[in-house]
Amino acid sequence: MIFLDFEASAGMGGYPIEVGFCMVNADRSMRSGAKLIRCDEWLDDPSRWDWRAEEIHRITRRNLTDFGESPRKVMTWLNAELAGMVAVADNPMDELWMRELAEMARISPAFGLAGDIRRAFDGPEITRITSLEEAEKVAPKRHRAEPDAVNLATRYVLSLEPAAPVHRLHYIDGGGNERRPLSSD
């Protein structure tokens, strides 16, 4: 399973400022990454920045200016990492942030994003759904994209039956997607 998370400058009317993912491998190990997003057009409009959001995620406009990468570079990176697969997010707003990033980058996503976390937990490999509190003990949420994606992946791994294979969502013809178990070879 792959989990994706965004941090944003504000709620509605804001823009994506960080994206992170966490991919669960067949052996239940995880690989994750994140990028800050610097879009000068967005940064030049202070009305789209909510200081309350900054207090939550602790990403400043200066952080974006100093360490952020262009939407084009971030979208290219995401496409290379997630091509052909479908990631899951825990907030429908992540779908909006994904569309905004792709539009600003002028690059279409080579992967899908499902904004309904239940997609990760409705498979036959799930023995029980681990609570957020249980996952917090292993991988605390930080209101940062990568740690929050790792938290979601940890919930998934803790919810798996002991001998169950890890699954991924993949595109199929007809616009849908399907679960495919990963082999641990």
Side-chain angles (χ1 to χ4, degrees):
M1 198 61 63
I2 301 168
F3 298 88
L4 192 78
D5 189 62
F6 279 91
E7 298 301 328
S9 68
M12 292 306 289
Y15 51 87
I17 60 172
E18 184 181 44
V19 62
F21 76 90
C22 186
M23 182 180 299
V24 180
N25 298 310
D27 64 0
R28 300 185 184 195
S29 65
M30 297 179 208
R31 186 170 64 82
S32 63
K35 301 262 186 199
L36 289 174
I37 305 163
R38 176 188 176 165
C39 180
D40 292 332
E41 183 178 321
W42 292 334
L43 284 170
D44 288 342
D45 183 356
S47 70
R48 295 182 71 189
W49 188 269
D50 184 338
W51 299 105
R52 292 170 298 197
E54 182 179 316
E55 288 176 11
I56 293 169
H57 52 57
R58 304 225 186 282
I59 301 169
T60 66
R61 292 164 58 96
R62 179 68 183 244
N63 293 143
L64 299 179
T65 300
D66 291 349
F67 305 109
E69 298 181 46
S70 72
R72 186 168 196 76
K73 190 169 184 178
V74 172
M75 195 68 217
T76 299
W77 169 74
L78 279 175
N79 278 345
E81 293 286 347
L82 307 178
M85 293 176 273
V86 177
V88 180
D90 67 344
N91 188 329
M93 287 295 291
D94 289 327
E95 292 173 299
L96 171 68
W97 304 136
M98 186 70 250
R99 283 192 304 273
E100 286 219 18
L101 175 61
E103 183 178 304
M104 188 53 75
R106 294 187 178 96
I107 298 174
S108 295
F111 60 94
L113 179 60
D116 182 357
I117 192 68
R118 293 175 294 185
R119 296 296 312 268
F121 296 98
D122 68 358
E125 74 276 17
I126 301 299
T127 187
R128 65 185 184 86
I129 298 177
T130 301
S131 71
L132 283 170
E133 293 76 24
E134 289 175 277
E136 286 274 328
K137 293 175 186 173
V138 180
K141 285 189 73 131
R142 304 262 189 242
H143 293 288
R144 292 295 302 264
E146 186 175 10
D148 290 358
V150 170
N151 175 275
L152 295 172
T154 300
R155 274 186 78 196
Y156 174 75
V157 169
L158 291 173
S159 297
L160 290 172
E161 291 184 25
V166 170
H167 282 64
R168 290 250 170 86
L169 298 174
H170 290 266
Y171 279 132
I172 58 170
D173 292 335
N177 52 65
E178 68 179 4
R179 288 175 102 74
R180 293 183 194 159
L182 296 176
S183 72
S184 54
D185 299 341

